[in-house]
Amino acid sequence: MEHLVFSLDATMPAFLLMLFGMVLRRTRVIDDAFAARLNAFVFHVALPVLLFGDMAAIDFDEGWDGSFVAVCFGLTAACIAVAVMLSFFVTRKADRGEFIQASYRSSAALLGIALMQNMYGSSAMAALMIVGAVPLYNVAAVFALAFTSDESRRQGATARSRLASSLRGIVSNPIIIGIVAGFLWAVMRLPMPHIATSLIDSVGGLAAPLGLMAMGAMFDLRRASGRLRPALWASAVKLVGLAALLLPAAVVLGIRGEALAAIAVMLGSPTTVSCFVMARAMGHDGILSSTAVMATTLGSAFTLTAWLFLLRSCALI
């Protein structure tokens, strides 16, 4: 019950922020143009700053576990491979990129640290999990979205030109720039002035609430109904399928305790709001992404709690 209450406390505010954005749109406080600019601010400023701060705060002098980072990287790669294979069953080709990232891309960076801090009083393993998973999350998302965008298909782009476009997208993607800059900052052990930390916390703290409100404001229920089936399949893969497939693999590899809990959070957390933000920024309509974010945010309070309860009942965490 304690984990259920905590999970509800972590996920319900996010769901309510989406509903709040929908209300603001219906009451015309927010229009389409403002919501689009808000989404652009989150993509170009708030999310990169947030991820820079998360990465820069990692302490490589204490608690570095390269094998655990490698496991997280490998499990993330497996999640992406599963999502790519399942995407071929999505009828509308333009939706395949959104389906892929909605199926694997977790809000582990936002939710993971809070959950691990609550469970163990430490977020060290969550930070290492972020190093192993989040950079690959974003690189793979750029490829998936670039290869399946309406614009590239309308232009009849070849696979080679799409690959070149994807590579350019990775180099210029603000989210990836923020991750790389933060990682380099941590590796070089550069000091972070208190004023800079406060600024990063303030700007980065805008990413989730503004992104969720923008997504709610841009959510179109009538259009979403046409993408409901692939969105629900992506949600089922994200909340149940990947954890059911890969948590046993982590157990077989001998991972236990806090490390296994971090992997469970990585696999079972809801689809991150940055899926919608990046989809919109890269020429997709974001409907499938926003529907999956809403569904997984609401459902994860129960499914993630169930995974953690199961692992604890088996004395694995």
Side-chain angles (χ1 to χ4, degrees):
M1 181 60 67
E2 179 185 351
H3 292 309
L4 175 60
V5 171
F6 181 81
S7 296
L8 286 171
D9 286 342
T11 57
M12 285 307 295
F15 187 75
L16 293 175
L17 276 170
M18 295 180 223
L19 294 181
F20 185 52
M22 295 174 70
V23 171
L24 292 177
R25 176 69 179 85
R26 292 295 298 271
T27 56
R28 300 185 180 180
V29 175
I30 293 178
D31 59 13
D32 289 338
F34 182 81
R37 289 194 297 271
L38 201 60
N39 192 73
F41 169 78
V42 172
F43 178 72
H44 289 284
V45 181
L47 266 176
V49 169
L50 172 68
L51 291 169
F52 169 81
D54 287 342
M55 299 299 290
I58 295 171
D59 188 350
F60 286 96
D61 292 325
E62 295 183 13
W64 176 254
D65 187 341
S67 61
F68 176 69
V69 172
V71 168
C72 291
F73 184 90
L75 292 176
T76 300
C79 291
I80 295 168
V82 170
V84 170
M85 288 186 290
L86 292 175
S87 71
F88 289 103
F89 294 99
V90 177
T91 304
R92 190 172 182 268
K93 292 183 179 180
D95 283 342
R96 290 178 180 175
E98 290 194 56
F99 176 90
I100 291 169
Q101 66 160 355
S103 297
Y104 78 81
R105 200 170 169 199
S106 171
S107 57
L110 293 174
L111 187 61
I113 289 178
L115 279 170
M116 296 299 293
Q117 189 73 39
N118 180 71
M119 293 173 62
Y120 293 98
S122 168
S123 59
M125 282 299 171
L128 293 176
M129 176 264 289
I130 289 170
V131 174
V134 172
L136 183 56
Y137 278 168
N138 290 279
V139 171
V142 172
F143 274 108
L145 293 171
F147 268 77
T148 59
S149 68
D150 282 329
E151 182 179 353
S152 67
R153 291 189 303 107
R154 278 198 304 268
Q155 293 175 350
T158 63
R160 186 172 183 176
S161 65
R162 291 187 191 184
L163 177 60
S165 175
S166 299
L167 292 174
R168 287 194 299 270
I170 290 170
V171 172
S172 61
N173 188 287
I175 294 174
I176 293 176
I177 291 173
I179 290 172
V180 172
F183 183 78
L184 293 175
W185 192 285
V187 168
M188 292 186 290
R189 298 175 173 82
L190 298 176
M192 182 70 73
H194 178 71
I195 294 176
T197 301
S198 298
L199 179 62
I200 290 169
D201 290 344
S202 297
V203 176
L206 297 173
L210 292 185
L212 289 165
M213 284 191 291
M215 186 177 68
M218 300 171 80
F219 185 75
D220 188 330
L221 186 59
R222 287 174 297 180
R223 295 179 68 189
S225 63
R227 318 281 180 82
L228 190 60
R229 186 173 181 178
L232 291 180
W233 274 112
S235 301
V237 172
K238 182 69 201 70
L239 296 180
V240 180
L242 295 178
L245 180 66
L246 297 175
L247 272 178
V251 172
V252 169
L253 290 172
I255 298 175
R256 299 288 188 276
E258 188 177 347
L260 185 60
I263 288 175
V265 170
M266 178 186 78
L267 295 173
S269 291
T271 300
T272 176
V273 66
S274 57
C275 282
F276 171 78
V277 174
M278 189 179 287
R280 292 286 300 186
M282 295 186 63
H284 293 256
D285 58 27
I287 294 172
L288 191 153
S289 297
S290 61
T291 306
V293 171
M294 294 184 77
T296 57
T297 299
L298 186 60
S300 65
F302 304 96
T303 57
L304 182 55
T305 301
W307 287 121
L308 294 174
F309 177 77
L310 177 63
L311 292 175
R312 179 154 289 185
S313 299
C314 296
L316 295 173
I317 62 173

